[in-house]
Amino acid sequence: MAMELEGKATPPMANGEIVFEAPWQTRAFGMARALCEQGLYSWDEFRGHLIAEIEKYDAQPDGRGYEYFDHFLSALIQLLAEKQVCRSDELSERTTVFDERPHGHDH
Amino acid sequence: MSDAKPQALRAEALESLLIEKGLLTSELVDEVVHRYSERVGPMNGARLVARAWLEPEFKKSLLEDATAVVADYNFEGGEVQKLVVVENTPEIHNAVVCTLCSCYPWGVLGLPPKWYKDPAYRARIVSEPREVLTEMGVELDDDIEIRVWDSSAEVRYMVLPMPPQDIEGKSLKELETRVTRDSMIGVQRV
């Protein structure tokens, strides 16, 4: 489900382009907000990490082009590692497991 | 464009770990996504703008203390701790940016569009606003002053665009449909 925030019939929603370009971006946003609403961190705390990630890119663009949600996801992962909620090695391991699933189950 | 697949995998892996740890459920993420897609959006800002065009007293309150006005509406979406509404006039044109990241008044405008978060917009709307606005379709005479407002965690801005020429006799509902998201960021006219 690619969520089109502006895809609604209401005219004020109808102008402009979609906010999320891929389902994972939607999930990343949903996770970040949900954890914030659960009280794990404040949005300002998250924002601090997001700014840091974006600054890294702004200081040294990697030539791949700017992808806001790449930085958004990195900021979330970084924050959760700092909160000792989810270690980066745990995440890498799980990502590898998912990557090695039989083809057709990698959605 | 980055290779999205590793990101999709990482996001999926993260969600599965957080669910295992009992911090999230898929349903909770679904609910947040649904809320932001259905009930948070520029239609909320449009209601304020259309009413301000029709009711001078309301407009005065909105420009004086938008935070208080918005609190009465009880819009969902948060991120509007302090909202400041700036008015476009024949002499002054306002535009909004977040130079550091993507601060944006979600409660009244929904989530920001991609270009708003782009390094080019974040830098250029400050350094050469007239050129950027022209590129986005807003050509301003040289004697119109341009004010660019930098949204932050503390203060978020929304533009009150000038009303359409044919406002006479229009209802609130009709006018609401004329207000575009981009006009409330200040990169479009109504």
Side-chain angles (χ1 to χ4, degrees):
Chain A
M1 178 201 69
M3 185 164 85
E4 296 190 8
L5 284 188
E6 275 93 6
K8 307 292 162 220
T10 322
M13 302 284 275
N15 76 306
E17 63 288 346
I18 59 168
V19 172
F20 300 108
E21 295 180 307
W24 72 263
Q25 299 180 350
T26 315
R27 297 311 285 177
F29 175 80
M31 281 190 274
R33 282 303 298 171
L35 291 169
C36 173
E37 289 174 11
Q38 301 287 302
L40 196 62
Y41 47 76
S42 70
W43 197 249
D44 275 358
E45 233 177 324
F46 174 76
R47 180 179 172 273
H49 284 71
L50 180 59
I51 290 175
E53 288 296 322
I54 292 172
E55 274 176 352
K56 269 194 254 170
Y57 177 91
D58 283 353
Q60 202 167 16
D62 60 13
R64 293 185 308 157
Y66 182 79
E67 292 296 335
Y68 172 81
F69 277 101
D70 287 4
H71 305 297
F72 187 97
L73 181 60
S74 296
L76 178 61
I77 288 170
Q78 186 69 32
L79 177 60
L80 295 177
E82 279 174 30
K83 295 266 175 201
Q84 300 185 321
V85 163
C86 185
R87 298 191 316 273
S88 62
D89 60 317
E90 256 181 311
L91 180 62
S92 308
E93 207 173 293
R94 181 62 58 95
T95 307
T96 307
V97 170
F98 280 6
D99 197 26
E100 289 168 353
R101 284 175 300 196
H103 188 69
H105 293 275
D106 59 347
H107 57 281
Chain B
M1 181 88 186
S2 68
D3 180 0
K5 194 181 168 205
Q7 301 292 26
L9 280 173
R10 283 212 301 167
E12 190 190 356
L14 182 65
E15 186 170 345
S16 81
L17 284 168
L18 294 170
I19 289 168
E20 275 174 25
K21 291 169 189 287
L23 290 160
L24 280 184
T25 59
S26 290
E27 292 73 27
L28 186 62
V29 179
D30 290 345
E31 188 276 318
V32 169
V33 167
H34 180 77
R35 177 158 25 104
Y36 277 89
S37 61
E38 297 291 327
R39 299 208 293 275
V40 178
M43 62 283 196
N44 292 336
R47 287 172 62 192
L48 302 177
V49 168
R51 191 170 163 201
W53 284 341
L54 292 177
E55 299 174 25
E57 276 305 307
F58 180 78
K59 176 174 149 183
K60 191 162 167 281
S61 314
L62 190 64
L63 294 173
E64 276 173 8
D65 189 353
T67 314
V69 170
V70 167
D72 288 343
Y73 273 81
N74 220 3
F75 293 136
E76 289 195 57
E79 292 305 292
V80 188
Q81 291 92 344
K82 181 167 170 59
L83 178 70
V84 172
V85 174
V86 288
E87 184 189 15
N88 281 352
T89 67
E91 293 81 33
I92 297 167
H93 184 90
N94 298 282
V96 179
V97 67
C98 168
T99 55
L100 287 181
C101 52
S102 49
C103 293
Y104 193 74
W106 293 357
V108 287
L109 295 187
L111 300 178
K114 185 176 163 72
W115 57 260
Y116 183 84
K117 301 174 284 195
D118 196 88
Y121 178 76
R122 289 191 280 116
R124 290 188 59 225
I125 192 71
V126 178
S127 62
E128 41 179 355
R130 205 169 291 272
E131 288 75 7
V132 172
L133 288 172
T134 303
E135 287 165 23
M136 295 181 93
V138 182
E139 285 190 43
L140 299 170
D141 291 340
D142 286 341
D143 58 351
I144 296 178
E145 181 190 342
I146 300 175
R147 294 182 183 169
V148 177
W149 303 85
D150 193 359
S151 282
S152 67
E154 290 77 34
V155 189
R156 307 195 179 213
Y157 297 94
M158 184 186 107
V159 174
L160 174 61
M162 284 202 287
Q165 304 281 346
D166 58 349
I167 187 170
E168 193 72 35
K170 295 274 188 305
S171 71
L172 185 64
K173 286 282 164 223
E174 281 175 286
L175 289 171
E176 281 177 14
T177 66
R178 300 280 290 273
V179 184
T180 63
R181 177 196 69 198
D182 289 1
S183 71
M184 294 183 280
I185 306 176
V187 297
Q188 196 179 60
R189 287 197 180 99
V190 173

